[in-house]
Amino acid sequence: MLIFVDAPLAERHKSTLAAGAAGDSFIFRDELPGESEQREALLKADILLGNPKPVEWLEKAVNLQWIQLYSTGFEYYRHIKIPAVVTNMQDYYSQPCAETAIAGILSLYRGAGEFAALKNKQQWVGHIIRPALQTLQNKHVIILGAGNIARRIEKILQGFDCTIRLYARRSPNAVIRTTTELEAALPAADIVIACLPGTEETKGLFTREMIAALKHNAIFCNVGRGNLLADEQALTEALMHRRIGGAVLDVTQEEPLPAGHPLWSCPNTVLSQHSGGGSTSEYEGIVACFLENLAAFKNGIPLKNIVRFDKGY
Amino acid sequence: MLIFVDAPLAERHKSTLAAGAAGDSFIFRDELPGESEQREALLKADILLGNPKPVEWLEKAVNLQWIQLYSTGFEYYRHIKIPAVVTNMQDYYSQPCAETAIAGILSLYRGAGEFAALKNKQQWVGHIIRPALQTLQNKHVIILGAGNIARRIEKILQGFDCTIRLYARRSPNAVIRTTTELEAALPAADIVIACLPGTEETKGLFTREMIAALKHNAIFCNVGRGNLLADEQALTEALMHRRIGGAVLDVTQEEPLPAGHPLWSCPNTVLSQHSGGGSTSEYEGIVACFLENLAAFKNGIPLKNIVRFDKGY
């Protein structure tokens, strides 16, 4: 098989791939000099490991039988017309994403940003800061989503005795099922954590009115997709004027966030720069998942993590 | 009753006290001009709410029948000879302390400090940082202590599927019972969290050799007492030379930590400046606890949270 790899792999990951699929040929995009060579190599390949850009290259990659994305999200590949099977990383990033959400929220509640700045200034004023600190215990949390990330977050929050309500249209675990119900529930929430995938239905789901419905000390956290917000500027203004307690944003409308963007200057705001899924073993896991699926593919066994484009997740 | 109050209370807390004990007289130390007036007032009082310094003032305060400390720790009051009953805040600070510990550890694992610094620089480099991030999930944690803070931390860590072992000499929940066993257990720990009270037995308990026994990526966290470390400099050096993964220190040998102290400059180190117990409602809770105990005191009912000087916690 000819396998095209479009992923930022280190040499050790490439060696693992080669050792795990000795009879196959790998072409690594980052080893080819120009875009035209890269595109040509993709068009010849039987299998693709990675998330190529531009996505349009895939339109003519008719030899591809299987595409293993290294992401969980696949919204950019939804309109591919070629008949390849597409698999993704499903639950793989859920735990690090959940931990990034909780880390950000606890940072705000326990003053981590302030203490980091004070450390640089070598200034000990803990007794002044401590009356402003909050605890996560017993907080009322609304989670937008009922998938893998939501479940991980829910489990962690149970350790803090939080009251948790899930918003999802169809999941049996969700108690908030419509946007009308969500709007009604928001004023009681101390924290709203969004971990929805990027679909046509989630785009712009969280409206300006919903931001206005948040409590004065509520935290809005998004580890899903930046386009969940119908009006990101409304969030920026709420933060800037301290009309809400703070935000933890792993994702934003525009990524990377350009210098000068107002979100950089918002107080009580954690920007984790779409690192939510990251971990030291990130690419080891991706390579292991690919090799497992490759063995299944060759043996005619159903692949793991096949993407359901009709469902959107 | 004449009640002397030596605690940093806001006007609203003083009003709550006055309303809750209408027949009693309060003297607030911070309303008296000089040290001699303050000391004299204390010597006349029947009841003390607070943690007066210098502690020696208490030696002659023979009228005192009951002392309500606003701290959980009482090591400074151990040698008081007067026959007053002493109560403390017991479990009151456990949850915020536990959350400060977890917030600090998650900060290190999820890069919160780096992202805070990058926000100031308006620089988006999440893809560079993400391969260095770690997760708390499945980590091996040794907790030094088996009291209230330890229990809260344990509960939170269960939500992250951590493997947890407690060190305590007598608690039935502890599986590590001696310092020899502790030394043997340390090399397997990803995280060590100290939440021991300040007693003669815990002073210097964590030795230079124990610091040397830690893994290269281990995190040492202390939300107990700074004098737990026999040799704080050994920790500083381990951090400075990156021989361990990092530290979360709510307490240090010297507090406040003076400018120029080497701990300020240690990498991968969170200094939360003894704010661990802090929360927005801190003094509301202290006042409420005092008033509850005051009613019990007047009615001859046993007080809550009586300090057992013999046990040291």
Side-chain angles (χ1 to χ4, degrees):
Chain A
M1 295 286 200
L2 186 62
I3 303 169
F4 185 75
V5 180
D6 190 353
L9 299 186
E11 281 309 316
R12 68 180 189 284
H13 305 128
K14 291 181 180 178
S15 307
T16 310
L17 273 181
D24 300 304
S25 305
F26 287 93
I27 303 177
F28 297 98
R29 179 173 177 176
D30 57 10
E31 294 175 2
L32 298 177
E35 289 232 327
S36 62
E37 289 96 325
Q38 294 169 358
R39 183 168 178 274
E40 247 173 77
L42 173 64
L43 297 186
K44 277 189 248 163
D46 304 304
I47 294 171
L48 162 64
L49 165 58
N51 293 27
K53 278 182 197 170
V55 181
E56 291 68 36
W57 284 10
L58 289 173
E59 283 170 12
K60 299 219 168 124
V62 288
N63 291 326
L64 283 180
Q65 297 171 53
W66 165 43
I67 299 171
Q68 171 69 58
L69 302 173
Y70 61 72
S71 62
T72 299
F74 51 79
E75 60 263 47
Y76 301 115
Y77 303 94
R78 192 176 293 136
H79 304 295
I80 297 172
K81 298 263 170 26
I82 54 169
V85 178
V86 179
T87 55
N88 71 349
M89 292 302 290
Q90 295 241 358
D91 189 30
Y92 184 63
Y93 298 105
S94 303
Q95 182 69 23
C97 265
E99 293 197 15
T100 281
I102 303 298
I105 292 163
L106 280 177
S107 284
L108 292 176
Y109 278 166
R110 305 309 296 161
E114 277 162 290
F115 285 119
L118 287 166
K119 182 169 176 281
N120 287 333
K121 291 192 267 182
Q122 308 207 347
Q123 207 182 333
W124 183 284
V125 288
H127 61 290
I128 297 172
I129 291 173
R130 64 184 281 167
L133 302 180
Q134 292 187 67
T135 51
L136 181 48
Q137 190 183 38
N138 295 330
K139 289 287 190 281
H140 290 262
V141 185
I142 293 177
I143 299 177
L144 310 182
N148 293 318
I149 305 179
R151 274 199 294 272
R152 304 295 182 114
I153 290 174
E154 195 178 17
K155 180 175 174 176
I156 294 170
L157 290 177
Q158 281 162 354
F160 290 89
D161 302 315
C162 291
T163 306
I164 304 155
R165 287 184 292 171
L166 268 54
Y167 161 79
R169 288 161 305 150
R170 284 180 293 263
S171 164
N173 301 322
V175 293
I176 307 172
R177 308 300 284 266
T178 66
T179 49
T180 311
E181 285 172 16
L182 177 58
E183 262 186 69
L186 286 172
D190 297 302
I191 304 168
V192 176
I193 306 176
C195 40
L196 286 162
T199 70
E200 279 309 310
E201 284 165 308
T202 62
K203 193 175 161 186
L205 182 145
F206 208 80
T207 62
R208 191 181 182 88
E209 290 71 31
M210 291 179 184
I211 292 166
L214 293 171
K215 269 210 268 208
H216 75 283
N217 59 354
I219 291 178
F220 177 79
C221 170
N222 192 359
V223 289
R225 284 289 178 263
N227 66 7
L228 176 80
L229 290 176
D231 183 355
E232 195 178 63
Q233 209 190 319
L235 176 67
T236 310
E237 282 168 15
L239 289 166
M240 205 63 96
H241 298 103
R242 297 175 196 264
R243 282 200 303 267
I244 64 171
V248 176
L249 304 175
D250 194 52
V251 291
T252 45
Q253 289 279 5
E254 204 178 343
E255 293 179 22
L257 210 58
H261 191 288
L263 271 175
W264 288 118
S265 315
C266 284
N268 304 316
T269 301
V270 172
L271 298 172
S272 50
Q273 309 195 6
H274 212 133
S275 70
S279 74
T280 43
S281 57
E282 182 172 350
Y283 284 98
E284 275 81 349
I286 291 166
V287 164
C289 170
F290 174 77
L291 288 174
E292 196 187 328
N293 256 348
L294 181 65
F297 183 78
K298 287 180 178 177
N299 293 313
I301 298 170
L303 300 188
K304 270 175 58 174
N305 304 346
I306 292 177
V307 160
R308 292 277 310 271
F309 285 107
D310 56 329
K311 289 178 76 178
Y313 52 89
Chain B
M1 295 285 201
L2 186 60
I3 304 169
F4 185 76
V5 180
D6 191 353
L9 299 186
E11 282 308 317
R12 66 180 190 284
H13 306 128
K14 293 181 179 177
S15 306
T16 309
L17 274 181
D24 301 307
S25 304
F26 287 93
I27 303 176
F28 297 98
R29 179 172 177 177
D30 57 9
E31 294 175 4
L32 298 176
E35 289 230 328
S36 61
E37 289 95 326
Q38 294 170 359
R39 182 168 179 274
E40 248 172 76
L42 173 64
L43 297 186
K44 277 188 248 162
D46 305 303
I47 295 172
L48 161 64
L49 164 58
N51 294 28
K53 277 181 199 171
V55 180
E56 291 68 36
W57 285 10
L58 289 173
E59 283 170 12
K60 299 219 169 123
V62 288
N63 292 325
L64 282 179
Q65 299 171 51
W66 163 43
I67 299 170
Q68 171 69 56
L69 302 172
Y70 60 72
S71 62
T72 298
F74 52 79
E75 60 264 47
Y76 302 115
Y77 303 94
R78 192 175 293 136
H79 305 294
I80 297 173
K81 298 259 169 29
I82 53 168
V85 178
V86 180
T87 54
N88 71 349
M89 293 302 291
Q90 296 242 355
D91 188 30
Y92 185 64
Y93 298 104
S94 304
Q95 182 69 23
C97 265
E99 294 197 15
T100 281
I102 303 298
I105 292 163
L106 280 176
S107 283
L108 292 176
Y109 278 165
R110 305 308 297 160
E114 278 161 289
F115 285 119
L118 288 166
K119 182 169 177 283
N120 286 334
K121 291 193 265 182
Q122 309 207 347
Q123 208 182 334
W124 183 285
V125 289
H127 60 289
I128 297 172
I129 291 173
R130 64 184 280 165
L133 301 181
Q134 293 188 65
T135 51
L136 181 49
Q137 191 183 37
N138 295 329
K139 289 287 189 281
H140 290 263
V141 185
I142 294 177
I143 299 177
L144 310 183
N148 293 318
I149 306 179
R151 275 200 293 273
R152 304 295 182 115
I153 290 174
E154 194 177 19
K155 180 175 175 175
I156 294 170
L157 290 178
Q158 282 162 353
F160 290 89
D161 302 315
C162 290
T163 306
I164 304 155
R165 287 184 293 170
L166 267 54
Y167 161 78
R169 289 161 305 151
R170 285 180 293 263
S171 166
N173 301 320
V175 294
I176 308 172
R177 309 298 285 265
T178 67
T179 50
T180 312
E181 285 173 17
L182 177 58
E183 262 187 69
L186 285 172
D190 298 302
I191 304 168
V192 176
I193 306 175
C195 40
L196 286 162
T199 71
E200 279 310 309
E201 284 165 307
T202 63
K203 194 176 160 185
L205 183 146
F206 208 79
T207 62
R208 193 182 181 86
E209 290 69 32
M210 290 181 186
I211 292 167
L214 293 171
K215 270 210 267 209
H216 75 283
N217 58 354
I219 291 177
F220 177 79
C221 170
N222 192 358
V223 289
R225 283 289 177 264
N227 66 6
L228 176 80
L229 290 176
D231 183 356
E232 195 179 64
Q233 209 190 320
L235 176 67
T236 309
E237 281 168 18
L239 288 166
M240 206 64 97
H241 298 104
R242 296 174 197 267
R243 283 200 302 268
I244 64 171
V248 176
L249 305 175
D250 194 50
V251 291
T252 45
Q253 290 277 6
E254 203 178 344
E255 294 180 22
L257 210 59
H261 190 289
L263 272 176
W264 288 118
S265 315
C266 285
N268 303 317
T269 302
V270 172
L271 298 172
S272 49
Q273 309 196 6
H274 213 133
S275 71
S279 74
T280 44
S281 57
E282 183 172 350
Y283 285 98
E284 274 82 349
I286 291 166
V287 164
C289 170
F290 174 77
L291 288 175
E292 195 187 328
N293 257 348
L294 181 64
F297 183 78
K298 289 181 178 177
N299 293 314
I301 299 170
L303 299 188
K304 271 175 58 173
N305 304 345
I306 292 178
V307 160
R308 292 278 310 271
F309 285 107
D310 56 330
K311 289 179 75 178
Y313 52 88

